[in-house]
């Protein structure tokens, strides 16, 4: 199912991957929970309203697919891979051949059709270039090793998935994770990478392409040291997130920063939920800025966690999330975030150093 994809008519494949969901009459009348599979084989639960939203989203994806298909027909196959003067992502996003101010960047933000995601992601991310610099047998040589820590986590990774929860799926996931753990000994294997690699397998379709996508994510896209032994990069991201939450969190009333103040009054540590967000790259959940009123009414830390976890499972519209990110929260450029990271790094490293000294001291006392 997730092996090398055969050549099929693009338009037909886009239609086949995005079926309309049709709840039964009984479910519509009773507003019962509806269960269905998404295009990547995950079981999704929601009410009829959720299904209606998801159908609207799928119609948008179909419409966007027609745009890509029209460009495929008029400009030739793989037009989106032809970056002309530069192969960097920045230059690619300003692909002048599209003309009339229609840029590849805008097309990507509106959504890449599922059938094109493997090729577009692989090329524009830099994974294809990274793979081209390695020997042909590089991946096959790496995956010959065995790591018991990885084996233990395999059945815990999206249990119940129609492919990942099979011997074939777990075998593919193990090889991708083992391969990268031996590619980068500083990272090795860190819990959280199993979810990232699993999702990449479902999108990219082939093991080796998923491996190189994981490599480019960890080596070129994410902040350094997110998955090293002390998780220093992850700690930095959480401090940056908390700081931006205070400065940029949207408010439905004129009282500024009320969510940040309310969570602080509850002594709620954002790392209780944010650690999973950053380590799993939101593959298991999404942040829920859109539930401000419910969060304000929460009286206990457990209530906050419950709201965040349940709400994210019903965020089916990516356009709604992008609207919050770009319009409601405000502009946060890469430069701004990079400055925040540099600002937080010294405090994180000092804290981790103090923890290590305390741990070493306790170990000495026990001897």
């Amino acid at each position: 199912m997730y092996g090398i994809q055969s050549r099929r008519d693009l338009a037909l494949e886009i239609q086949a991957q995005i079926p309309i969901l049709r709840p039964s009459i009984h479910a519509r009348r009773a507003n019962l929970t509806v269960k269905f599979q998404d295009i990547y084989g995950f079981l999704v639960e929601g009410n009829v309203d959720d299904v209606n939203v998801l159908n609207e989203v799928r119609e948008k994806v179909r419409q966007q697919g027609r745009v890509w298909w029209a460009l495929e027909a008029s400009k030739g196959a793989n037009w989106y891979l032809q970056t002309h003067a530069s192969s960097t992502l920045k230059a690619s996003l300003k692909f002048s051949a599209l003309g009339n101010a229609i840029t590849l960047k805008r097309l990507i933000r509106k959504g890449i059709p599922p059938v094109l995601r493997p090729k577009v992601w692989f090329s524009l991310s830099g994974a294809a270039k990274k793979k081209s610099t390695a020997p042909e047998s590089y991946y096959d040589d790496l995956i010959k090793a065995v790591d018991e820590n990885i084996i233990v986590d395999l059945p815990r990774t999206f249990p119940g998935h129609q492919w990942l929860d099979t011997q074939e799926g777990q075998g593919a996931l193990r090889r991708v994770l083992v391969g990268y753990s031996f590619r980068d000994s500083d990272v090795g294997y860190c819990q959280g990478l199993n979810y990232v690699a699993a999702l990449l397998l479902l999108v990219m379709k082939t093991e080796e392409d998923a491996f190189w996508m994981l490599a480019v994510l960890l080596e070129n896209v994410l902040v350094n040291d997110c998955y090293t032994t002390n998780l220093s990069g992850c700690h930095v991201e959480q401090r940056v997130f908390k700081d931006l939450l205070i400065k940029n969190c949207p408010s439905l009333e004129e009282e500024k920063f009320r969510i940040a103040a309310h969570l602080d009054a509850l002594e709620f540590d954002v790392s209780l939920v944010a650690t999973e967000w950053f380590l799993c790259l939101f593959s298991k959940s999404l942040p829920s800025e859109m539930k401000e009123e419910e969060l304000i009414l929460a009286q206990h830390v457990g209530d906050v966690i419950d709201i965040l976890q349940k709400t994210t499972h019903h965020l089916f519209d990516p356009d709604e999330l992008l609207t919050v990110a770009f319009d409601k929260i405000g502009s946060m450029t890469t430069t701004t975030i990079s400055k925040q990271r540099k600002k937080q790094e010294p405090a994180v490293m000092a804290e981790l150093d103090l923890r290590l000294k305390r741990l070493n001291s306790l170990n000495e006392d026990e001897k």
Side-chain angles (χ1 to χ4, degrees), residues 105-271:
K105 183 175 182 178
R106 288 178 59 191
L107 282 174
I108 290 174
R109 283 187 176 175
K110 285 181 177 294
I112 303 171
V115 67
L116 294 180
R117 286 173 192 168
K119 287 193 292 185
V120 175
W121 284 20
F122 198 65
S123 175
L124 298 187
S125 68
K129 183 177 181 180
K130 190 177 288 287
K131 179 182 177 180
S132 69
T133 63
E136 186 175 350
S137 63
Y138 182 76
Y139 177 69
D140 290 334
D141 293 338
L142 286 175
I143 63 175
K144 294 176 182 177
V146 176
D147 189 319
E148 293 298 329
N149 293 325
I150 292 174
I151 293 174
V152 170
D153 276 348
L154 295 176
R156 303 171 182 169
T157 309
F158 299 124
H161 186 275
Q162 63 177 6
W163 182 72
L164 290 171
D165 207 7
T166 66
Q167 185 175 357
E168 179 188 2
Q170 291 183 10
L173 179 57
R174 179 188 63 79
R175 289 187 289 273
V176 170
L177 292 172
V178 166
Y180 193 79
S181 71
F182 281 87
R183 173 180 170 83
D184 189 340
S185 58
D186 290 335
V187 172
Y189 171 67
C190 174
Q191 287 184 330
L193 286 179
N194 50 322
Y195 292 99
V196 178
L199 194 60
L200 289 174
L201 271 171
L202 296 178
V203 175
M204 302 306 296
K205 309 298 184 185
T206 69
E207 284 182 38
E208 192 167 358
D209 285 357
F211 167 82
W212 287 111
M213 281 297 299
L214 184 64
V216 84
L217 272 174
L218 270 59
E219 297 164 16
N220 301 94
V221 178
L222 300 178
V223 64
N224 292 334
D225 300 326
C226 260
Y227 296 96
T228 49
T229 304
N230 62 6
L231 301 179
S232 60
C234 184
H235 289 295
V236 169
E237 294 291 67
Q238 290 182 54
R239 281 177 174 262
V240 171
F241 172 71
K242 187 173 182 178
D243 192 43
L244 293 175
L245 178 67
I246 295 173
K247 294 179 179 178
N248 298 282
C249 189
S251 176
L252 299 180
E253 296 178 359
E254 294 196 7
E255 181 188 350
K256 206 172 183 183
F257 313 138
R258 62 180 191 154
I259 279 190
H262 182 64
L263 296 182
D264 189 55
L266 292 176
E267 298 183 348
F268 174 72
D269 184 352
V270 294
S271 66

Side-chain angles (χ1 to χ4, degrees), residues 251-253 258-259 289-298 307:
S251 176
L252 299 180
E253 296 178 359
R258 62 180 191 154
I259 279 190
E289 297 89 345
M290 287 165 282
K291 285 293 179 180
E292 181 174 10
E293 291 299 332
E294 289 187 30
L295 291 171
I296 289 296
L297 294 174
I307 291 169

Side-chain angles (χ1 to χ4, degrees), residues 23-132:
S24 67
I25 294 176
H26 175 69
R28 291 198 296 271
R29 288 175 178 172
N31 199 30
L32 299 177
T33 298
V34 179
K35 296 183 180 181
F36 49 89
Q37 283 187 346
D38 66 11
I39 61 174
Y40 293 117
F42 291 103
L43 183 64
V44 180
E45 293 187 7
N47 56 35
V48 176
D49 290 337
D50 293 329
V51 172
N52 291 335
V53 171
L54 195 53
N55 279 333
E56 291 175 3
V57 171
R58 291 184 173 192
E59 179 56 33
K60 291 179 184 178
V61 174
R62 272 192 294 273
Q63 292 174 2
Q64 188 64 8
R66 295 185 191 107
V67 174
W68 284 79
W69 174 237
L71 289 168
E72 181 97 352
S74 63
K75 297 181 179 294
N78 301 332
W79 60 268
Y80 39 84
L81 305 183
Q82 299 167 8
T83 56
H84 295 296
S86 173
S87 61
T88 64
L89 177 60
K90 186 174 181 181
S92 300
L93 297 179
K94 296 179 180 178
F95 187 30
S96 59
L98 290 176
N100 300 323
I102 302 176
T103 63
L104 184 56
K105 183 175 182 178
R106 288 178 59 191
L107 282 174
I108 290 174
R109 283 187 176 175
K110 285 181 177 294
I112 303 171
V115 67
L116 294 180
R117 286 173 192 168
K119 287 193 292 185
V120 175
W121 284 20
F122 198 65
S123 175
L124 298 187
S125 68
K129 183 177 181 180
K130 190 177 288 287
K131 179 182 177 180
S132 69

Side-chain angles (χ1 to χ4, degrees), residues 241 245 249-250 252 259 263 268 273-274 277 282 284-296 303-316 320-321 324-325 328-329:
F241 172 71
L245 178 67
C249 189
L252 299 180
I259 279 190
L263 296 182
F268 174 72
V273 291
W277 293 350
F282 305 100
K284 294 180 65 181
S285 55
L286 287 171
S288 17
E289 297 89 345
M290 287 165 282
K291 285 293 179 180
E292 181 174 10
E293 291 299 332
E294 289 187 30
L295 291 171
I296 289 296
D303 296 334
V304 174
I305 295 175
D306 187 57
I307 291 169
L308 289 171
Q309 289 179 338
K310 287 184 177 179
T311 301
T312 54
H313 294 161
H314 294 269
L315 297 180
F316 297 117
E320 186 177 2
L321 186 61
V324 171
K328 295 184 179 180
I329 291 180

